[in-house]
Amino acid sequence: GWELTVMRFCDNHPSIIGWASESLRIPYINPFTGKQTFYVPDFVIMYQNPQGQKTTEVIEINDSN
């Protein structure tokens, strides 16, 4: 699916320094249950932008047909 496409892109793009899949856990309080839970985004990607600066972004893949 889309996640595999992103992984291949990350592996082959020369500006991408590193990436990880589902490696970040963001705690939050569920507004309906009041319980603490975690959001796990699909990817964390570090790349070198056109100005030469290292940039890290959190990416969520969503295929909403």
Side-chain angles (χ1 to χ4, degrees):
W2 285 107
E3 286 88 358
L4 182 57
T5 300
V6 171
M7 290 175 189
R8 288 182 178 151
F9 175 84
C10 290
D11 282 342
N12 294 307
H13 197 285
S15 295
I16 296 193
I17 299 165
W19 65 274
S21 176
E22 298 182 350
S23 64
L24 182 64
R25 291 173 33 132
I26 302 169
Y28 73 96
I29 303 296
N30 183 311
F32 299 107
T33 65
K35 295 181 181 179
Q36 183 171 348
T37 189
F38 295 92
Y39 166 67
V40 181
D42 292 323
F43 295 97
V44 177
I45 299 174
M46 180 186 292
Y47 63 93
Q48 187 169 0
N49 69 21
Q51 293 74 32
Q53 300 169 322
K54 289 182 182 178
T55 303
T56 302
E57 295 195 22
V58 175
I59 307 291
E60 178 68 29
I61 305 301
N62 186 354
D63 183 19
S64 57
N65 288 329

